[in-house]
């Protein structure tokens, strides 16, 4: 099949309906349909875009019609071609400084030509499919660039707010500010203050009625309110002047030095592309966090670059401002419920209609009101959230240098300075290694913080030289990289030290970077380290990304016969795929085919616990501390009660992709729910059910069984009489599941796709259904089910397949089936 022809996805459940030979052809799908959600979203975005487009055009010094042209082209062209359906493009505040500088140096017609050339450059980059590479720029540089642009916009527009005229650069504007403050224009200042007040207070109106009023965009309310009051008060102010479209200036041939024009095209391409691509990535995050079923695909960044390039070509040719994705309008589009690119395109149509029909109304708007609106946008571009983020990641220097560079030198120069500082910081971190040595409790600890390269070998050798011969040493490597020179230096020292009677334990290294210990291995003595005393390099298959994995470098300890034997998972030759193979004669196959070796008791349980806690505190706790602190303040609000077996292979958070605060988990042997009768009830499980339903108000309860359940196998193997141990007394609650398996309560449930492997698996499936029946007998559950506030779900997890099956009902028959796309709407 040709690479240019997309392959049609086939669905196994879809069958083509044959067309009768002599009947009229079926009517095809409607060619064009606009959802009501797209219409309302388009109106909301249009009401924001109209004043902002005029304000940005005013801030750049371009003809005011240029802002409307860019808004219309961004909606129609970028909205139709772009790869991010819900992103709204148009004149962006991030391009204000760049465009204003171009107009001042080259004039308006050449600026339009530069916009066209920048669009052609974007088309080339999109065809080369380098959009993902553009996101490799450090976020500190991007946020610093936007903050610098925001400061430049705010300082320049402050002069118009005060009734004056801005200068060409931030230093000039700051120097002229005292004189401007001494010659205030009261009317302009009052209109600007009124605009800012409405802009600030409108989203914070209290009350139910205000909830409806807040649907009107604050930008529109601020500009319309200030315009109305200025007109009613008879204030004499400069207002919007929209000349006839017949006199609108279009693009001309570029005039100026070649190097200067090339730098201008490069700067425009860089800012437009980075802002649009970052906006497309943000769209995916906003859409994924929006309630309701997913209806919009992920952004295609290369196609988005092509769409932005086409929009810039058209906008520049028609005498419009440069076009880029705009965060404010995009966010409004998503929050208004847009479901397709039709909302973006319809907003462009509305801008065209306003530009042709609403000119008399637009000419009442005071320029001071538009300047105040744009100044507020510039202030918002200096985000405190971004400053906190770069500070937390120790990149505040890059952010500050980029911001100051953009403010004082220009966008391209500021970004170049930021990249240079970012590279310097990265090299400093790569070469900066701290090596400390201290003695604690008879052991010498050598701690290496940072990357271990050849530059750190002299300091490492000096620290290791301080360790006395024959002593016990712990070398902690707290870094993600070790080059060959450092590896050999450490290995040679370790061989020498162990040959002299000392012991070395190396911790914190990555899997696969194991320092050989020839003296210990050749003599048959175990290595003193985190590796198992019974393991060799070939045996150890642990990986850093699976801290929960079974630590297969260690052999399991012998399990005494308690009558509850682990049952092999069906279809895996007696072993779950991730757990190795346990033989009936007490031997174990190694992972690399070394034959059989007798099991030995593992006495490292305590040390494994300590190491696990230490790893959590060092690696995981810093990542989850903020979320856990929030949960500690707000209390737990889980949405599900998850009742499952105590089997160590069933990891609830992994199966459900959940985290802290999501699940209220109850675990017991066999995932049993005792009926609420007095003679057989169990207060621990019943109390958990009552607390989850009555206090936590969970919305669903899931009973999860699993393959290879030892409790179900014990039920099948149980014989009348015998000693009534606590385990056997507990398993009596599973007796109704055995009866269901025999057909006492109807046919047992089936497993979709294949028959159950054996009787044990049939019992595991029947047990889930039976425990759901027991749940319905609890008073709190029955009451919640009757009120429609609770749902019950059955789940079967096949360990060896790593496959979850959800209990469904089809044609009156209960069946465990794989999760399908239709289930995601639940």
């Amino acid at each position: 099949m040709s690479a240019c022809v997309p392959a049609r996805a086939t669905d196994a459940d879809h069958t083509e309906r044959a067309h009768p030979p002599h009947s009229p052809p079926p009517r095809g799908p409607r060619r064009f349909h606009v959802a009501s959600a797209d219409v309302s979203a388009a109106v909301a975005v249009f009401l924001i875009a109209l004043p902002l487009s005029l304000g940005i055009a005013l801030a750049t010094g371009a003809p005011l019609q240029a802002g409307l042209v860019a808004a219309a082209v961004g909606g129609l062209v970028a909205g139709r071609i772009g790869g991010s359906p819900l992103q709204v493009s148009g004149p962006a505040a991030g391009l204000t400084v760049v465009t204003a500088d171009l107009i001042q140096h080259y004039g308006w017609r050449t600026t339009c030509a530069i916009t066209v050339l920048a669009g052609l450059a974007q088309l080339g980059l999109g065809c080369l499919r380098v959009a993902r590479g553009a996101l490799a720029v450090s976020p500190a540089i991007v946020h610093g660039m936007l903050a610098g642009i925001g400061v430049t916009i705010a300082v320049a527009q402050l002069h118009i707010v005060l009734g004056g005229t801005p200068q060409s650069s931030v230093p000039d504007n700051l120097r002229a500010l005292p004189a401007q403050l001494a010659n205030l224009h009261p009317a302009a200042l009052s209109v600007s203050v009124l605009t800012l007040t409405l802009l600030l207070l409108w989203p914070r109106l209290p009350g139910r009625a205000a909830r409806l009023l807040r649907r009107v965009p604050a930008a529109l309310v601020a500009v319309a309110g200030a315009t109305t009051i200025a007109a009613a008060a008879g204030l004499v102010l400069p207002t919007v002047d929209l000349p006839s479209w017949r006199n609108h200036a279009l693009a001309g041939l570029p005039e100026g030095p070649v190097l200067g024009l090339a730098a201008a095209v490069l700067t425009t391409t860089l800012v437009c592309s980075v802002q649009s691509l970052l906006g497309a990535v943000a769209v995916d995050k906003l859409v994924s966090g929006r309630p309701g079923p997913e209806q919009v695909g992920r952004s295609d960044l290369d196609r988005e670059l092509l769409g932005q390039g086409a929009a810039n070509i058209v906008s520049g040719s028609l005498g419009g401002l440069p076009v880029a994705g705009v965060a404010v309008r995009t966010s409004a589009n998503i929050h208004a419920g847009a479901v397709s690119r039709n909302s973006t395109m319809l907003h462009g149509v509305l801008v065209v209609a306003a530009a042709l029909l609403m000119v008399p109304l637009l000419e009442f708007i005071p320029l001071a009101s538009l300047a105040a609106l744009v100044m507020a946008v510039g202030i918002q571009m200096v985000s405190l959230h971004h400053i906190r983020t770069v500070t937390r990641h120790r990149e505040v220097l890059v952010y500050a240098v980029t911001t100051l560079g953009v403010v004082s030198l220009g966008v391209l120069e500021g970004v170049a300075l930021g990249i240079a500082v970012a590279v310097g910081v990265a090299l400093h971190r790569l070469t900066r290694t701290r090596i400390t040595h201290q003695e604690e409790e008879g052991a010498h600890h050598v701690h290496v913080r940072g990357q271990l390269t050849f530059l750190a070998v002299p300091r490492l050798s000096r620290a290791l030289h301080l360790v006395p011969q024959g002593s016990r040493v712990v070398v902690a490597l707290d870094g993600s990289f070790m080059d060959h020179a450092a590896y050999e230096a450490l290995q040679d020292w370790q061989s020498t030290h162990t040959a002299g009677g000392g012991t070395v334990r190396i911790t914190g290294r990555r899997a696969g970077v194991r320092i050989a210990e020839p003296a210990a291995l050749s003599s048959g003595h175990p290595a003193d380290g985190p590796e198992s005393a019974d393991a060799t390099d070939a045996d150890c298959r642990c990986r850093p990304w699976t801290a929960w994995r079974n630590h297969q470098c260690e052999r399991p300890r012998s399990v005494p016969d308690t009558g509850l034997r682990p049952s092999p998972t069906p279809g895996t030759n007696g072993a779950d795929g991730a757990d190795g193979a346990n033989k009936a004669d007490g031997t174990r196959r190694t992972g690399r085919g070394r034959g059989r070796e007798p099991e030995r008791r593992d006495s490292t349980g305590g040390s494994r616990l300590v190491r696990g806690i230490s790893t959590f505190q060092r690696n995981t706790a810093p990542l989850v501390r903020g979320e856990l602190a929030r949960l500690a303040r707000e209390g737990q609000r889980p949405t599900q009660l998850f009742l499952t077996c105590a089997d160590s292979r069933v990891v609830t958070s992994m199966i459900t992709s959940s985290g802290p605060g999501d699940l209220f988990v109850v675990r017991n042997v066999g995932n049993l729910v005792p009926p609420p009768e007095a003679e057989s009830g169990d207060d621990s499980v019943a109390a958990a059910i009552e607390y989850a339903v009555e206090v936590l108000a969970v919305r669903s309860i899931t009973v999860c069984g699993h393959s290879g359940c030892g409790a179900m196998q014990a039920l099948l193997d149980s014989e009348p009489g015998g000693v009534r141990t606590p385990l056997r007394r507990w398993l009596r609650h599973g007796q109704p599941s055995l009866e269901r398996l025999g057909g006492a309560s109807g046919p047992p449930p089936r497993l979709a796709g294949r028959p159950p492997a054996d009787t044990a698996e049939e019992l595991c499936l029947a047990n889930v259904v039976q425990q759901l029946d027991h749940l319905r007998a609890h008073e709190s559950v029955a009451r919640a089910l009757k009120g429609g506030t609770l749902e019950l779900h059955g789940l079967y997890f096949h360990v060896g397949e790593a496959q979850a099956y959800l209990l469904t009902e089809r044609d009156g028959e209960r069946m465990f089936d794989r999760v399908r796309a239709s289930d995601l709407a639940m």
Side-chain angles (χ1 to χ4, degrees), residues 151-450:
V151 170
T152 305
I153 293 172
V155 173
Q157 298 308 299
L158 180 59
H159 283 270
I160 302 179
V161 166
L162 298 176
T165 304
Q167 305 299 315
S168 59
S169 65
V170 174
D172 292 340
N173 280 319
L174 292 177
R175 281 192 293 267
L177 192 57
Q180 185 65 61
L181 290 172
N183 297 290
L184 292 176
H185 192 291
L189 181 60
S190 60
V191 168
S192 300
V193 170
L194 177 60
T195 302
L196 292 174
T197 302
L198 290 173
L199 196 64
L200 180 66
L201 297 182
W202 187 259
R204 294 172 173 80
L205 290 177
R208 293 185 177 180
R211 189 178 305 171
L212 297 176
L213 294 176
R214 286 198 299 267
R215 294 184 179 180
V216 182
L220 178 67
V221 172
V223 173
T227 301
T228 302
I229 292 178
L235 299 178
V236 179
L237 290 168
T239 58
V240 169
D241 182 18
L242 293 174
S244 172
W245 286 103
R246 297 177 182 176
N247 301 324
H248 180 62
L250 303 180
L253 293 176
E255 298 178 357
V258 175
L259 290 180
L261 292 174
V265 172
L266 176 62
T267 304
T268 307
T269 303
L270 171 68
V271 178
C272 288
S273 301
V274 171
Q275 183 166 345
S276 300
L277 294 176
L278 291 176
V281 174
V283 166
D284 292 339
K285 295 179 181 178
L286 289 174
V287 171
S288 63
R290 188 169 62 175
E294 186 83 13
Q295 296 184 0
V296 182
R298 293 184 62 84
S299 299
D300 183 341
L301 297 186
D302 293 304
R303 179 178 172 182
E304 179 64 18
L305 207 52
L306 293 173
Q308 296 294 332
N312 274 313
I313 292 174
V314 176
S315 180
S317 301
L318 296 179
L321 292 171
V323 171
V326 186
V328 175
R329 300 173 213 180
T330 301
S331 177
N333 190 38
I334 294 173
H335 290 309
V339 295
S340 72
R341 62 178 72 247
N342 291 334
S343 63
T344 304
M345 298 172 62
L346 184 56
H347 129 268
V349 173
L350 294 176
V351 171
V352 172
L356 296 176
L357 304 177
M358 295 178 60
V359 172
L361 290 177
L362 296 178
E363 290 184 336
F364 281 103
I365 300 176
L367 295 183
S369 179
L370 292 179
L373 177 64
V374 177
M375 185 180 73
V377 173
I379 294 173
Q380 291 173 355
M381 292 173 70
V382 186
S383 170
L384 294 178
H385 171 70
H386 292 159
I387 295 175
R388 284 193 294 265
T389 301
V390 298
T391 302
R392 187 167 60 248
H393 290 88
R394 298 183 298 169
E395 292 186 336
V396 67
L397 178 63
V398 179
Y399 179 91
V401 169
T402 306
T403 301
L404 293 176
V406 171
V407 169
S408 58
L409 301 176
V411 175
L412 189 60
E413 294 84 353
V415 170
L417 275 178
I419 292 175
V421 173
V423 171
V425 169
L427 291 176
H428 174 71
R429 290 175 179 173
L430 181 63
T431 57
R432 182 174 179 267
T433 305
R434 292 182 56 196
I435 302 175
T436 59
H437 167 262
Q438 59 183 358
E439 183 178 0
E440 293 180 359
E441 300 179 356
H444 291 262
H445 294 263
V446 178
H447 194 174
V448 180
R449 297 178 178 89

Side-chain angles (χ1 to χ4, degrees), residues 657-742:
S657 298
S658 56
D662 292 338
L663 300 180
F664 188 69
V665 181
V666 175
R667 305 187 70 144
N668 59 49
V669 175
N671 49 275
L672 300 178
V673 181
E677 291 88 4
E679 65 275 10
S680 61
D682 181 89
D683 287 342
S684 65
V685 178
I689 295 171
E690 180 182 350
Y691 186 79
V693 176
E694 300 287 348
V695 179
L696 299 178
V698 297
R699 295 193 292 270
S700 70
I701 301 179
T702 301
V703 176
C704 176
H706 68 94
S707 63
C709 182
M712 297 300 102
Q713 187 64 47
L715 273 175
L716 290 173
D717 296 343
S718 61
E719 298 177 357
V723 181
R724 301 283 289 178
T725 64
L727 179 60
R728 293 187 182 277
R729 286 198 299 272
W730 168 254
L731 288 179
R732 75 184 187 277
H733 299 303
Q735 198 64 35
S737 301
L738 271 177
E739 297 171 0
R740 176 180 288 273
L741 183 64

Side-chain angles (χ1 to χ4, degrees), residues 452-472:
L452 198 52
T453 65
F454 67 95
L455 297 173
V457 168
R459 282 176 288 158
L460 176 64
S461 299
R462 283 195 296 269
L464 296 176
H465 184 69
L466 299 175
V467 177
Q469 186 176 2
S471 60
R472 184 160 58 93

